[in-house]
Amino acid sequence: MVTRASTRAIGHLDADCFYVSAERVRDFFLDEKPVGVLGNQGACVIAKSYEMKGKGVKTGEPIWDALEKCPDGIYVKRDFRWYEVLSRLMLDQVRELSPRVEYYSIDEFFFQAEAARGQSLQSLAEEMRDRIRERVGVPVTVGIARTRTLAKLISDSAKPFGARAVMEPDEVEELLGSLPVTEITGIAGRRAARLSPWGIASCLDLARADRRLVRSLLTAAGEVLWWELNGDPVQAIHTKRPAHKALSRGGSFGESTAEPAVLYAWLVRNLERLIEEMRFHGVAAGRVTVALRYKTGHSGVGQRTLPVATDRFDLLLDAARPCLRKAWMPGVQASHMHLIAEDLGPRDQCPPGLFEDPAARARAEAVARVKEQVNNRMGRFSLRSAATLRLPAIYRDASNEYDICDIRGKICF
């Protein structure tokens, strides 16, 4: 295996059981107990403690199955507002110790690892881990290596509450030889099956394989992983999130429905949330897509291109209605909806429609400003479309006011 002599290092920090750890920060009673965090309106486990994992509970498992495996568990509703508070506190701590930091996800950061004079990279990893535990209260694991891919493999293998820097070629080789190729992010069942006939089962096998073979089997993305495993840092650290190519809002209904009025209420809710995000990023949509998923396993999709890109509620709703009708399967229970804005362009560069009434445009803009001002002052969704009145439970439950998609600035979704 070829490893460059460069001393450049990249770190990966990953919080341990982050959602559970965040709940424990504000409630010490949960320490050392089997804890599950619920999403999907309380229907499934989206995170679990190591104690609950030991009982066999898996991420994404329905709550009724989790209760059978772990009846003495403590199950709490997710609170992404609180998780974001701790996430940004962790981000601040990492930035104090690194000149370049990528906010990859709510509980993961990549950073340029630069040890201070007289400090080793191993002690830097330990300092970062211990500082966040002390100042934020969240246990994390830190891995440092020559590339992003290696750093993540190291941190994953050092969990929980580990800190490890692996820079020497023989240490890297030993680590890669001990890990199955599926430990690499981006290589799961299908890709592993393509590699298996060629005798590629471990991370080391992939690193030693012919680069051209890897590219033919896994495309250019696989070749990037090959270079990274061999110590060549070809994946950059992004200190700012790249511009969105599309924006989406939606997800599970929690309780499936075949009622047209309820589906329409969800469409309006998702549209209002989507417009919030478009306004934040200063973009307008040239195309909208509505996708429905059904309990039968079927799916329906409707799509419409707008004459002129816009972020106006009335115009987007007019476009989304026929999309919903096309995606709708009458009488079939729907479980998920996603509303997607595509062909995004700068909002301030979108011209008015050729036949658009200037007075109607001015009224729509005035309504949007008032709605935004009221909600900024009185609370999110204080002022919303009456169509959403058919979803009282959703607006009554504070856990539904804020979603992980609403945490801005992350690279990963």
Side-chain angles (χ1 to χ4, degrees), residues 26 50 60 71 78 91 104 112 197 203 221-222 240 286 304 329 365 374 382 396 404 407 409 413:
R26 61 182 178 183
Y50 287 108
R78 59 160 174 83
L91 179 61
Y104 182 71
Q112 185 175 324
C203 295
K240 292 184 179 180
R304 175 158 291 196
M329 298 174 62
E365 290 289 347
V374 170
S382 296
R396 189 164 51 240
I404 192 168
I407 301 173
F413 59 86

Side-chain angles (χ1 to χ4, degrees), residues 202-272:
S202 71
C203 295
L204 184 59
D205 293 333
L206 183 61
R208 286 178 168 171
D210 184 88
R211 175 179 59 82
R212 292 165 297 183
L213 172 64
V214 173
R215 185 183 179 96
S216 69
L217 295 172
L218 302 181
T219 71
E223 185 181 356
V224 166
L225 295 175
W226 184 90
W227 284 112
E228 291 263 318
L229 289 174
N230 281 287
D232 286 279
V234 296
Q235 292 180 306
I237 292 175
H238 299 283
T239 56
K240 292 184 179 180
R241 196 195 192 289
H244 288 275
K245 295 182 179 179
L247 290 170
S248 174
R249 286 295 179 269
S252 170
F253 299 150
E255 183 177 347
S256 58
T257 181
E259 180 63 40
V262 175
L263 290 173
Y264 181 67
W266 276 106
L267 178 73
V268 174
R269 171 177 167 80
N270 290 330
L271 179 58
E272 290 188 327

Side-chain angles (χ1 to χ4, degrees), residues 124-198:
L124 171 64
E126 293 170 2
E127 179 185 1
M128 191 172 287
R129 176 200 62 185
D130 296 342
R131 176 186 287 211
I132 290 176
R133 178 62 164 166
E134 177 185 349
R135 298 186 181 183
V136 184
V138 174
V140 303
T141 298
V142 180
I144 295 177
R146 295 182 185 275
T147 70
R148 288 171 62 113
T149 302
L150 289 173
K152 181 164 173 54
L153 285 171
I154 290 164
S155 67
D156 288 346
S157 65
K159 280 183 168 290
F161 200 56
R164 189 181 179 192
V166 180
M167 300 296 292
E168 297 302 319
D170 56 340
E171 289 185 82
V172 174
E173 191 166 306
E174 181 181 356
L175 172 73
L176 295 182
S178 68
L179 298 175
V181 72
T182 49
E183 287 295 306
I184 301 172
T185 300
I187 298 183
R190 287 186 180 181
R191 287 189 162 189
R194 288 182 211 162
L195 297 171
S196 182
W198 299 90

Side-chain angles (χ1 to χ4, degrees), residues 88-125:
R88 296 199 183 277
L89 288 175
M90 290 194 296
L91 179 61
D92 290 341
Q93 296 304 313
V94 178
R95 282 175 172 162
E96 285 188 11
L97 296 173
S98 171
R100 291 179 60 81
V101 181
E102 178 178 311
Y103 189 22
Y104 182 71
S105 73
I106 190 172
D107 63 344
E108 280 186 272
F109 312 90
F110 287 97
F111 59 93
Q112 185 175 324
E114 291 187 2
R117 184 182 296 275
Q119 183 186 42
S120 68
L121 289 173
Q122 177 61 37
S123 62
L124 171 64

